[in-house]
Amino acid sequence: MEAYKSRSLKYSQELSKTKTKYNTISLLRLASIVLFLILGYNYLQESNILFLFSSIFCLIAFFILMRFHSKLQFQIKMKEALISINTDEIDYLENNKLPFESGEEFIDFHHPYAYDLDIFGNHSLFQNLNRTATFIGKKTLAKQCLTLLPNEQIIDNQQAIKELTEKIHWRQDFSALAKISQDTKQAYLSLLKWTKFNSTPLSKMSVWISILSPILFLVFAILYWITSNAVFLKVLSLIFVFNLGFLGLFIKRIQLEMAHSSNIDKLISQYGLLLQKIEKEDFKAEKLILLQKQLIYENENASVHLKRLAALFSSMDTIQNFVTGILFNGTFLYNLHIFKSLIEWKNQHASVLEDWLNAIGEFEMLNSLANVSYNNPDFVFPELNSNYEISFSNLSHPLLSRKNRVGNDIDFQPQSFMILTGSNMSGKSTFLRSLGVNMILTGMGAAVCATKANVHPMPVLVSMRLSDSLSDSESYFFAEIKRLKQIMDELEQQPAFVLLDEILRGTNSDDKRNGTIEVIKKVIAKNAIGAIATHDIEVCLTPNEYPKTLINKCFEVEIINNDLHFDFILRDGICKNKSATFLMKKIGVI
């Protein structure tokens, strides 16, 4: 918290100084152009060479000041972004607000755990993790939240996240560059669409004409300037008209090319700056080094190639201006040369451009997870195993505040499946969600909310919170049956970590009890690890048949001073105390 406050103050002070410089440069720039006009006018009136040189000096000064002005403008945007990044973290840690995108567009009701564990949406895991600012970054983080990585890749991610956790200055600079890019899904897809749009290179004849015609124009222009012969002027006029007519043969192709890529030159420049930030940093983690190596193409950094592409798109915009378009193309076929260069760039680089953008997405995803680790130094990176062993010490839900967390120890060996009982509000569902979310974080390579963890990463399968699918004309009960079938089908393929919360609520008590017992038997027969929460005490007799596989755990409630007291501590055995009757009497229901 203090680190964010000091950084916010530092950047605010720097922003104030930069704005002062910016305003000073603006005034000097205005003064230089005014002096240029005054001195130029005096030269025309008096033909004094001193006025001429002074006027030229003011013009040069104007262009130099313009460059300083642009640099300061960029610095202001960066400082404002950095202030925003740090104030957002302060608000987040103080629980004032959750100022990050929720990933609501990624909600998938049919995914094995995304909806049940609130991975996306308001106050979701994604929203708490997310520090991305580009579309590809957001997409990469969302995909990672739904994907279990192999152990080797989890370890690679852990190493990368550990290194980035310590690089707060670099991380925030990278995030600020991403933030000011104002990237959108539409812009990103437009760029990819442009790379996939089939562009046939110009014919050899067209290339030769595009070279020779401007040369001829230049030759005849020089001849006319030397001789003032009107014949040369007529030839110049003919070449000028010919060039415009020749360009007209390609106007449709140029317009089609630009239709897939309008207004993206600034975004490409920002992508280039993000890649340059990656290229220049000294990394130690193997994954980060590998991502860096992917940014070298044809012995040049990807940022250099993108800088050239941005310049080409910016240059192509001249065709939108009628006057400059006529002048530049009538003389030198300017836009045709740019069009030719764009096609050449695309044919040479289109196959790797998406990989470069994916590298940006990977870094934004890793940055987000590193930020979690930085904000929660008490979180731990799990040790991994391949022996189907899962244990957590002081496990809690990562989205709960520190003061509200109650940690519990859990070990899924020798018994691999838990039957969990407890009254309503005692903490059963929160504990199941804690297990599920921390298993997902493990599978991403992120730190988990525990003081110690030894985990065999496994697919997570959940039936906890389903909704009626009205569009499919499904009841809650049928949706739950389909989810249980999905879980069983997945378990046919491989063992998984299974979490079930009060299943079969849509049927009578006997049917529910018998069905729950049969589900438990089938799940453990398929070597699943996990837990099921239930209110049915008879289900808790099942461990008597399978003492080596099943175990009873519970959360208890106490009545202290005529009030319910929940300590949220996991205990061995079956829940004994009940709260429903007491609570209904207390609030006057019965």
Side-chain angles (χ1 to χ4, degrees), residues 325-421:
I326 293 291
L327 181 62
F328 279 52
N329 291 304
T331 53
F332 302 114
L333 288 169
Y334 180 79
N335 282 102
L336 188 59
H337 286 286
I338 298 298
F339 177 60
K340 173 176 164 288
S341 297
L342 271 174
I343 294 174
E344 288 174 351
W345 194 101
K346 183 193 294 189
N347 291 334
Q348 291 172 12
H349 304 88
S351 60
V352 293
L353 177 60
E354 193 167 359
D355 292 336
W356 297 341
L357 301 184
N358 287 339
I360 293 173
E362 283 288 323
F363 266 93
E364 278 218 281
M365 179 270 293
L366 293 169
N367 269 3
S368 293
L369 300 182
N371 193 74
V372 174
S373 185
Y374 183 85
N375 285 347
N376 300 277
D378 52 331
F379 283 17
V380 67
F381 288 91
E383 295 179 15
L384 305 185
N385 69 78
S386 302
N387 306 316
Y388 297 100
E389 297 176 1
I390 297 175
S391 63
F392 294 96
S393 297
N394 202 27
L395 174 81
S396 186
H397 200 294
L399 304 192
L400 292 174
S401 64
R402 285 185 179 86
K403 63 180 181 181
N404 293 327
R405 288 178 195 154
V406 176
N408 285 289
D409 296 345
I410 184 65
D411 195 337
F412 287 94
Q413 57 267 347
Q415 290 89 357
S416 59
F417 208 84
M418 175 198 315
I419 297 176
L420 186 62
T421 52

Side-chain angles (χ1 to χ4, degrees), residues 260-279:
H260 297 280
S261 52
S262 58
N263 299 320
I264 60 172
D265 54 308
K266 291 181 181 177
L267 178 61
I268 295 169
S269 293
Q270 286 301 125
Y271 283 153
L273 290 174
L274 286 166
L275 293 178
Q276 189 178 67
K277 191 73 179 172
I278 297 169
E279 293 160 355

